Amino acid sequence: MAWSASAIFRPFLADVLDNTAAFDLGADSIKAALYNNTPTPDNDVTSALSAYNATSSQWVTANEVFEAVQWPQGGVALTSQTVNSATADVVFFDAADTASGSAADLASVFGVQVYDDALATPVADQGISYNYLGGSNSVVNGTFTIVWHANGIFRLTI
Amino acid sequence: MSSVASASGTANDATVQVAYDPDRAITDLKRRLRAVRELCERAAAAGQLLNPSDVLAELDRKE
């Protein structure tokens, strides 16, 4: 299997709603880690298995694409992240587009895991969402930028 | 009977943009070509055949 779509991790929403985990998307260090096509993302996994580099998860570093300094292992922190509720019936999470250094070599990047790097308990680095990048992407000695969707990283319509 | 309060949510596909700095690319190309030229000159001076793998390694070498 492989990447084919984006999704919000079910345990993320559940853990926010029942106060199991203290996510603060507007203030925490939220990171974007790149992955090759080995993972089979699943939004219905447990909280523990949604976390970055969780043992036996899809998000182990063996599946990660990174380059020291340019797009470090563990991902690049989002900037200007915001939980936006200014539109009727909609709450969405967004951030500025996320860029590598200017001399990146990255290959076979299929998707990105968005996780809370500040969260230590009950699950460290718990996942928020995974976002498909539409296929294989690469860069040689250039800048690799994730352009987040106009509707945000994730969007809730109520 | 009450109705169910409902919501739907989705994470959105993102796209990738790749950009290159032209000055960096030209500088890097010049450096690699100079290195290959030096390889050629050394091989010629020594009367040796140039090893293709050395040339490829030099071209692939990152700044």
Side-chain angles (χ1 to χ4, degrees):
Chain A
M1 293 296 287
W3 285 86
S4 61
S6 307
I8 304 167
F9 284 111
R10 178 164 59 105
F12 159 69
L13 282 180
D15 291 351
V16 167
L17 293 173
D18 67 9
N19 199 29
T20 297
F23 285 93
D24 187 344
L25 300 193
D28 286 352
S29 174
I30 308 296
K31 286 191 173 177
L34 304 178
Y35 285 85
N36 61 25
N37 208 26
T38 302
T40 301
D42 181 1
N43 61 319
D44 287 325
V45 292
T46 62
S47 301
L49 289 178
S50 75
Y52 169 76
N53 197 28
T55 303
S56 301
S57 77
Q58 302 299 310
W59 312 107
V60 292
T61 54
N63 299 338
E64 189 179 1
V65 180
F66 58 90
E67 181 187 14
V69 178
Q70 301 297 324
W71 196 292
Q73 188 172 44
V76 172
L78 303 186
T79 58
S80 304
Q81 74 240 41
T82 181
V83 176
N84 189 311
S85 59
T87 304
D89 302 332
V90 170
V91 177
F92 69 95
F93 176 57
D94 202 2
D97 294 342
T98 306
S100 71
S102 61
D105 288 329
L106 302 164
S108 298
V109 181
F110 280 77
V112 54
Q113 181 205 30
V114 178
Y115 71 95
D116 192 329
D117 189 45
L119 201 62
T121 185
V123 173
D125 301 339
Q126 187 171 334
I128 296 166
S129 68
Y130 54 84
N131 300 70
Y132 182 41
L133 297 175
S136 183
N137 298 274
S138 63
V139 65
V140 177
N141 201 18
T143 304
F144 185 96
T145 302
I146 293 177
V147 180
W148 300 111
H149 194 280
N151 284 341
I153 296 171
F154 71 77
R155 190 176 190 88
L156 305 173
T157 302
I158 57 175
Chain B
M1 184 172 149
S2 63
S3 61
V4 176
S6 65
S8 63
T10 182
N12 300 302
D13 292 357
T15 55
V16 169
Q17 193 172 65
V18 173
Y20 298 95
D21 179 341
D23 291 338
R24 174 197 295 277
I26 290 169
T27 301
D28 186 42
L29 179 60
K30 286 179 178 176
R31 182 193 59 72
R32 292 175 195 220
L33 290 176
R34 275 197 301 271
V36 170
R37 179 178 175 171
E38 289 170 8
L39 282 176
C40 294
E41 289 173 346
R42 282 202 299 273
Q48 296 173 336
L49 291 174
L50 193 59
N51 186 343
S53 63
D54 290 342
V55 175
L56 293 173
E58 188 53 49
L59 290 173
D60 287 341
R61 194 163 67 85
K62 193 167 165 51
E63 282 183 291

